[in-house]
Amino acid sequence: MKAFDPKRAVTQITQRLSLRKPQAEALRRLDDIVDLIAPTKDTDVEAARDAVRAAYGNLPDAAFEDFERDFPSVCFALATGVGKTRLMGAFISYLYMIGKSRNFFVLAPNLTIYEKLLSDFQPNSPKYVFRGIEAFAHNAPLIVNAENYEEGRGVRGTDFFGREGAIVNIFNISKINSEVRGGKSPRIKRLQEYIGDSYFTYLSELDDLVLLMDEAHRYRGSAGAKAIAELKPILGLEVTATPKTVGARSQEFRNVVYRYDLPDAMEDGYVKEPAVGTRANFNPKSVDEAALERIKLEDGINYHEHVKVALETYARQHDVRVVRPFMLVVTQDTTHARQVRDFIESEAFFDGRYKGRVIEIHSRLTGEESDENAQRLLNIEKGGDTDIVIHVNKLKEGWDVSNLFTIVPLRASASDILTEQTLGRGLRLPYGKRTGVAVVDQLTVIAHDRFNDLIERAKEDNGVTRKLKTVMIGDGGDIPASKPVVVVAPSVIEQMILQAEAQAGVAPAADTPAGGYEQPAAATGAGFAAPAAPPFRFNKPEEVNLAKTVLSVVMPEVSRQVSSIRDLQDPKVVQRITETALAAQKMQDGLFPSVTPEQAVAVVEEVCKQIAERTIAIPTLTITPRDQVSFGFRAFQLDLKTWNYQPLSRELLIQVLRTEKRDIISGESDHEMPARLEDYLVAKLMDFPEVDYDAHAATLYDLAGQVVTHFQEKYPDEEKLRAVIQGHARAMADAIFAQMKQNMWRGQTSYRVTVNSAFDPLRPQTFDGSNKGAIRDYRNPPDQLNQIRRFIFTGFQKGCYQLAKFDSDTERKMAVLLERDPTVRLWMKPGPNQFKIFDTDGNPYQPDFVVETATEKLIVETKRASDMSDPVVLRKAEAAALWAFIATQAQANQLGEKPWSYLLVPETAVIENATVVGLASAHARIADTDLRGRYELGKA
């Protein structure tokens, strides 16, 4: 395979694997380190160490001093839940694509992680680490492991000695560093007839072996370190969330070249938010230890059941898979664990309802779970028949699951609770990203006796949510040395008038796009000058003032009076605009304008011509129902299988550690008790705007009655039953309404579409231009693609604006494509409030690009390939496709305007040889046929 240019390889891998910001930065640093030390068998280790120390010895997120091994080895310390396995896949892809190595050795610290790695490196795995990598599309890396290496064959039966392509060896550390019975060497170090030597020796003699160490803190012991050194790799890549040695005298790693800690991951939204819960107004010292543990367990279950229904509600509302949560109880020792389990499964704990739904995980010898027990924990994520896991003390790497939402630590100190070892097991997000729903995005620790202590410790510099960060001021730092600069991006029309002002010697007003702001020099250091807007022919002060009046005062009203932007070149319309502008100037200045009627018409004619030619006419539409909207709810049976709320007699207080936001799960005790228990629920359901009590009363009471009946079977005691319904009424109502929406019917209402304005005048956009070299040519990507939002791009010839910001390099590439494509007349990135489409939930959606070609107008949205099937993305796409259909009906079919289309384009399609026509044919979205038939054009 022909080797890739390293920078191109970094860019492609970042995009194809949809790397998160910290993963992308780690890959960039590997690229830099490979360039610095050029690792081979003959690398001068001391010189390489000095080179890496010079680059990464004193950074806010790195502290490299030494490789700490006999070969170059660097550590990437990424927080739990950010994605270390995918990062290892990126590292292997990069080193193979640039021709540095095709032989890799991935080391796992235990059987659990070993089996997870084997799974994630298989092409049929949903978490396959190489999915999308072009170099491996037709020749996937051969996976060699402890089960197949002796045969000299990979998992597909392919001879791997002398084989072309990448070979990834995955082994558990115990396979290379432990002796077996009788003092024999591990099997991997014994003679193999197939190769005439041991497989271990074969690996150590490879001239390109790269070693990747998962959970690297497990390989600093003497035996493990010695075995690793004997492999003689050209480069070691270590990944861990805790870069320090294990044991009583732990030491910080000295080879860290990139550190992305848990507080960073929380702030960037890659993991759940840790929160702490307690009873409101509760004094834990008022009860003994046994009573306190019982209260914590009961409140933990209350919160767990609250989370269970909230997750199901979210899944129904967003049409995603249902996550089945479990609660983790951390006990002091095995005896304590057995006592807690006996209590939880007894009749004294919620009438024995959790008997058979508890598992106990520990090792009587070490206090650390066995690999077999860890595997049981992994299976919890796939099941749903376990509510409670009881664990002893130390948690082991390898089972960070996404369905842990509640932790109840018993007899634990605040420092033990706040370690990444404890919280890290449940910080992984169930849907891979934050949802905006607190319950779904939180991991809550129930800690009545440690509540205040946990909050204070979390605020410390080395706490779980805060850390002391060095703020660099100056070039390349966090805060630029220069003063803040607001860059205003006028439309091309506004820029033309600004240039005319400058030629005429007219000072811009403070409220114009160039007034009151400091404008940076054009693309300092970028090697080009921003293109000037084409000049207007008029250049006298009075003509310029009239042009400004036309643009800012008259045009917004004219856009609502004409049927098409082409009408701006109709002599009658030009005359009417001229008269309105002259009258506005007289009213503003108190004097008759000094321009002659002929001058005025000429100025207005030229301004209107330029607006028509340099504006993409986006109509503003109003959609109203032609008939009274009819809807209702079909009769149905509620799905209550997972509803297991417990009596809630006290308020639970939940506080998010990082943001200090508080929430209360309350019994909401009313002074007046309704005669019917159903009234608690109906009163909450009536709060939803879609619910009309008079029309839906029978449905509401039927559904509320189903809930009451469900809990009557569990709580024959009237007082307990009322406590359950009253205490959880709000959460129950939310869950009921989510199911009601799934059973909602609507009448076949038709809609009238009214065009309020033929086009929307372009407004200036504002950007932050404080960074040095903030303005750069759009054809030049920044060195660090994850920093692209810091830059303002210019140099456009077809843009409605000559300045633009991009949220991703894919957007920048789309701009390059649009500028090059001969069929494109105009394009723009809409600014805030310039163009919004509303989805079915009423949420505003601002698309990435609006494009006008010779034959049509396009709304273009670019997305990561992994987001193309996201329900939110698809809901917005449906709304945009429907808008395009309606706009086409309102303008194209009636007035001969260009038709509209909506394109949802994956990043993988934005490539050098792509064309707009090709993208449109492959990625256009068509609105639902049933919906399209309900819209008719009306008169404004």
Side-chain angles (χ1 to χ4, degrees):
M1 187 190 78
K2 184 179 179 181
F4 277 64
D5 171 76
K7 295 296 185 287
R8 182 186 168 205
V10 169
T11 300
Q12 186 180 108
I13 293 167
T14 299
Q15 294 175 343
R16 294 295 176 88
L17 294 184
S18 299
L19 295 184
R20 291 170 164 177
K21 180 182 72 173
Q23 295 167 324
E25 177 59 19
L27 180 61
R28 188 198 67 77
R29 294 195 183 189
L30 172 61
D31 171 55
D32 186 40
I33 290 166
V34 169
D35 184 54
L36 282 172
I37 68 176
T40 67
K41 283 282 192 185
D42 301 321
T43 296
D44 184 331
V45 177
E46 289 192 9
R49 178 199 61 200
D50 293 341
V52 177
R53 182 190 292 160
Y56 296 100
N58 189 26
L59 295 178
D61 56 3
F64 180 89
E65 298 178 34
D66 189 76
F67 293 129
E68 299 193 274
R69 300 188 189 275
D70 297 334
F71 55 89
S73 187
V74 292
C75 177
F76 300 84
L78 268 67
T80 297
V82 171
K84 293 185 286 295
T85 306
R86 179 170 290 249
L87 179 60
M88 288 194 291
F91 285 168
I92 291 171
S93 302
Y94 166 79
L95 292 169
Y96 177 74
M97 289 168 64
I98 67 171
K100 176 57 65 177
S101 176
R102 71 181 192 90
N103 288 287
F104 303 90
F105 194 99
V106 181
L107 204 53
N110 57 48
L111 182 61
T112 303
I113 294 180
Y114 168 72
E115 291 178 349
K116 285 181 65 178
L117 288 172
L118 281 181
S119 173
D120 291 347
F121 276 79
Q122 301 302 326
N124 59 355
S125 168
K127 297 181 180 180
Y128 183 48
V129 295
F130 300 123
R131 180 163 285 113
I133 298 298
E134 185 178 350
F136 296 146
H138 303 294
N139 190 18
L142 185 68
I143 306 302
V144 180
N145 57 52
E147 284 68 49
N148 64 18
Y149 76 94
E150 290 181 294
E151 303 172 8
R153 297 179 179 276
V155 291
R156 296 184 303 282
T158 305
D159 188 345
F160 58 76
F161 296 110
R163 176 187 185 272
E164 294 295 326
I167 300 176
V168 180
N169 298 270
I170 303 177
F171 281 80
N172 186 350
I173 182 66
S174 66
K175 297 294 183 182
I176 68 172
N177 75 343
S178 63
E179 292 187 351
V180 294
R181 291 179 182 177
K184 295 181 180 180
S185 298
R187 287 166 58 190
I188 193 173
K189 294 185 178 180
R190 297 180 209 166
L191 178 67
Q192 307 278 316
E193 290 186 11
Y194 190 88
I195 56 176
D197 207 334
S198 75
Y199 188 61
F200 189 92
T201 301
Y202 162 75
L203 291 172
S204 68
E205 293 175 350
L206 292 171
D207 61 4
D208 66 345
L209 185 68
V210 172
L211 178 63
L212 295 97
M213 291 165 265
D214 194 8
E215 304 294 352
H217 56 282
R218 291 290 177 179
Y219 317 117
R220 296 298 177 111
S222 57
K226 181 175 181 294
I228 287 170
E230 290 174 351
L231 276 170
K232 301 176 184 176
I234 65 170
L235 179 65
L237 302 175
E238 308 178 23
V239 293
T240 180
T242 52
K244 56 184 178 181
T245 59
V246 297
R249 298 181 178 180
S250 65
Q251 300 291 321
E252 295 285 339
F253 283 12
R254 295 188 297 142
N255 65 339
V256 176
V257 292
Y258 181 51
R259 185 160 189 155
Y260 184 83
D261 290 329
L262 191 53
D264 302 311
M266 292 175 191
E267 187 172 340
D268 291 337
Y270 294 136
V271 296
K272 291 174 188 163
E273 286 277 17
V276 59
T278 187
R279 282 192 179 183
N281 306 308
F282 174 68
N283 180 8
K285 295 181 180 180
S286 64
V287 296
D288 60 26
E289 187 175 83
L292 179 61
E293 288 192 355
R294 177 181 58 78
I295 291 170
K296 288 170 69 174
L297 289 169
E298 289 176 351
D299 287 346
I301 284 293
N302 282 329
Y303 185 72
H304 164 70
E305 295 295 348
H306 170 78
V307 169
K308 188 187 294 185
V309 179
L311 286 167
E312 185 172 335
T313 301
Y314 176 83
R316 290 179 182 276
Q317 290 173 334
H318 296 85
D319 194 25
V320 293
R321 64 181 175 84
V322 177
V323 175
R324 304 298 184 190
F326 73 94
M327 180 178 86
L328 178 68
V329 180
V330 184
T331 55
Q332 192 172 38
D333 52 40
T334 55
T335 301
H336 187 208
R338 174 56 60 184
Q339 293 170 349
V340 170
R341 179 170 186 169
D342 289 344
F343 171 65
I344 289 176
E345 293 197 314
S346 72
E347 292 296 319
F349 189 75
F350 296 110
D351 301 321
R353 277 189 290 277
Y354 292 93
K355 187 175 181 63
R357 301 190 66 80
V358 184
I359 64 172
E360 189 178 347
I361 303 291
H362 60 73
S363 166
R364 294 184 180 278
L365 296 176
T366 64
E368 187 170 337
E369 74 268 20
S370 67
D371 289 317
E372 180 183 356
N373 282 338
Q375 190 61 46
R376 292 176 65 194
L377 282 170
L378 288 173
N379 291 335
I380 290 175
E381 196 168 21
K382 306 171 186 175
D385 56 352
T386 299
D387 279 294
I388 302 163
V389 172
I390 301 176
H391 202 286
V392 175
N393 277 343
K394 197 173 183 182
L395 301 176
K396 187 177 186 179
E397 302 93 357
W399 69 275
D400 46 337
V401 291
S402 63
N403 61 332
L404 172 57
F405 291 83
T406 311
I407 299 177
V408 181
L410 303 178
R411 305 181 193 176
S413 68
S415 57
D416 288 338
I417 294 169
L418 285 183
T419 62
E420 192 159 349
Q421 191 107 19
T422 299
L423 293 177
R425 303 311 108 201
L427 287 174
R428 194 176 296 276
L429 291 163
Y431 298 108
K433 59 184 178 181
R434 294 266 178 92
T435 64
V437 179
V439 172
V440 181
D441 297 339
Q442 279 178 195
L443 172 65
T444 300
V445 178
I446 304 298
H448 300 343
D449 50 335
R450 304 291 180 192
F451 183 79
N452 295 320
D453 194 12
L454 285 170
I455 291 173
E456 292 306 314
R457 281 180 176 266
K459 296 177 182 178
E460 295 175 359
D461 292 340
N462 61 347
V464 70
T465 63
R466 306 282 174 87
K467 66 175 183 177
L468 185 62
K469 298 181 74 171
T470 303
V471 179
M472 303 293 289
I473 300 178
D475 296 342
D478 302 286
I479 302 175
S482 57
K483 68 177 182 179
V485 175
V486 175
V487 176
V488 176
S491 67
V492 171
I493 307 300
E494 292 168 319
Q495 192 172 332
M496 293 168 68
I497 290 181
L498 290 173
Q499 290 178 192
E501 280 184 326
Q503 294 172 357
V506 178
D511 58 352
T512 61
Y517 298 99
E518 180 175 340
Q519 298 295 319
T524 304
F528 75 99
F536 278 123
R537 291 196 303 270
F538 52 81
N539 53 21
K540 296 179 181 178
E542 60 271 20
E543 294 174 337
V544 172
N545 286 332
L546 180 63
K548 290 167 61 179
T549 300
V550 170
L551 187 64
S552 61
V553 179
V554 182
M555 201 52 61
E557 185 61 32
V558 171
S559 68
R560 293 190 287 269
Q561 297 172 348
V562 297
S563 58
S564 167
I565 197 170
R566 293 174 300 171
D567 292 346
L568 295 182
Q569 299 183 62
D570 183 329
K572 294 181 179 178
V573 174
V574 170
Q575 183 63 42
R576 189 166 72 246
I577 293 173
T578 304
E579 293 170 358
T580 304
L582 290 172
Q585 274 202 298
K586 179 179 183 298
M587 185 178 298
Q588 179 179 329
D589 301 335
L591 300 170
F592 283 102
S594 55
V595 294
T596 65
E598 292 77 16
Q599 277 181 295
V601 169
V603 168
V604 173
E605 188 175 55
E606 187 171 358
V607 172
C608 289
K609 178 176 180 292
Q610 293 296 337
I611 291 174
E613 290 182 354
R614 299 181 182 278
T615 300
I616 301 177
I618 304 173
T620 57
L621 309 174
T622 299
I623 300 172
T624 54
R626 294 177 61 90
D627 310 303
Q628 183 176 355
V629 179
S630 59
F631 68 92
F633 302 96
R634 291 182 292 272
F636 68 98
Q637 288 295 311
L638 285 166
D639 184 354
L640 304 174
K641 290 191 298 292
T642 62
W643 288 37
N644 197 22
Y645 289 114
Q646 309 300 341
L648 187 62
S649 58
R650 294 176 181 267
E651 293 178 331
L652 272 179
L653 177 64
I654 309 295
Q655 177 163 324
V656 178
L657 290 175
R658 183 176 66 89
T659 63
E660 300 186 11
K661 179 184 176 182
R662 285 194 170 191
D663 191 17
I664 291 179
I665 302 173
S666 172
E668 301 185 23
S669 56
D670 299 321
H671 295 295
E672 296 184 9
M673 292 194 300
R676 301 173 62 185
L677 293 176
E678 289 87 345
D679 290 342
Y680 286 115
L681 300 174
V682 172
K684 300 300 181 187
L685 289 168
M686 288 168 56
D687 291 340
F688 293 99
E690 294 91 338
V691 174
D692 180 349
Y693 176 80
D694 292 333
H696 306 135
T699 300
L700 299 180
Y701 274 100
D702 173 62
L703 296 173
Q706 292 181 40
V707 174
V708 172
T709 300
H710 173 77
F711 283 104
Q712 277 176 335
E713 297 174 1
K714 297 175 181 290
Y715 300 105
D717 181 81
E718 177 74 20
E719 184 177 344
K720 285 186 177 181
L721 178 61
R722 185 177 293 274
V724 170
I725 303 297
Q726 179 183 7
H728 298 283
R730 169 48 60 199
M732 289 181 181
D734 290 341
I736 293 169
F737 187 68
Q739 296 190 42
M740 288 175 66
K741 288 187 72 174
Q742 293 179 317
N743 290 275
M744 189 176 186
W745 61 265
R746 291 181 180 274
Q748 292 293 318
T749 305
S750 61
Y751 296 87
R752 177 184 292 108
V753 179
T754 303
V755 180
N756 292 328
S757 62
F759 63 94
D760 195 9
L762 300 180
R763 304 174 181 86
Q765 301 179 18
T766 57
F767 307 125
D768 177 6
S770 304
N771 299 300
K772 182 180 179 181
I775 300 183
R776 62 189 297 132
D777 189 286
Y778 73 97
R779 288 157 289 214
N780 300 328
D783 294 334
Q784 299 180 38
L785 297 183
N786 61 342
Q787 299 293 318
I788 196 166
R789 295 185 183 186
R790 298 175 59 185
F791 296 96
I792 303 169
F793 293 87
T794 190
F796 310 114
Q797 301 293 335
K798 298 181 180 180
C800 295
Y801 296 86
Q802 291 188 345
L803 297 176
K805 272 205 169 191
F806 302 117
D807 291 328
S808 66
D809 195 54
T810 301
E811 290 187 2
R812 184 196 63 81
K813 289 180 177 178
M814 177 60 75
V816 173
L817 188 157
L818 296 175
E819 285 286 317
R820 290 177 179 172
D821 195 309
T823 67
V824 174
R825 285 191 63 253
L826 294 169
W827 68 270
M828 72 171 180
K829 276 188 67 63
N833 301 317
Q834 182 71 57
F835 179 31
K836 285 185 178 178
I837 297 168
F838 291 88
D839 65 18
T840 52
D841 289 342
N843 300 312
Y845 159 50
Q846 180 180 306
D848 289 342
F849 295 91
V850 181
V851 181
E852 183 173 351
T853 72
T855 58
E856 62 184 333
K857 296 176 185 176
L858 306 170
I859 303 168
V860 181
E861 181 75 20
T862 59
K863 285 293 178 188
R864 286 184 172 186
S866 58
D867 289 339
M868 291 293 287
S869 58
D870 183 277
V872 175
V873 172
L874 296 178
R875 188 164 63 246
K876 291 178 179 179
E878 178 62 36
L882 182 59
W883 188 96
F885 169 78
I886 295 170
T888 298
Q889 295 295 307
Q891 284 202 310
N893 295 352
Q894 300 289 329
L895 305 170
E897 294 279 2
K898 295 174 183 176
W900 285 86
S901 294
Y902 174 75
L903 313 185
L904 181 60
V905 182
E907 61 185 358
T908 51
V910 186
I911 54 180
E912 286 287 327
N913 62 346
T915 65
V916 171
V917 171
L919 293 178
S921 64
H923 303 290
R925 294 289 179 122
I926 307 300
D928 180 81
T929 303
D930 179 59
L931 290 175
R932 288 187 305 179
R934 301 185 192 177
Y935 294 85
E936 299 176 5
L937 183 65
K939 294 184 178 180

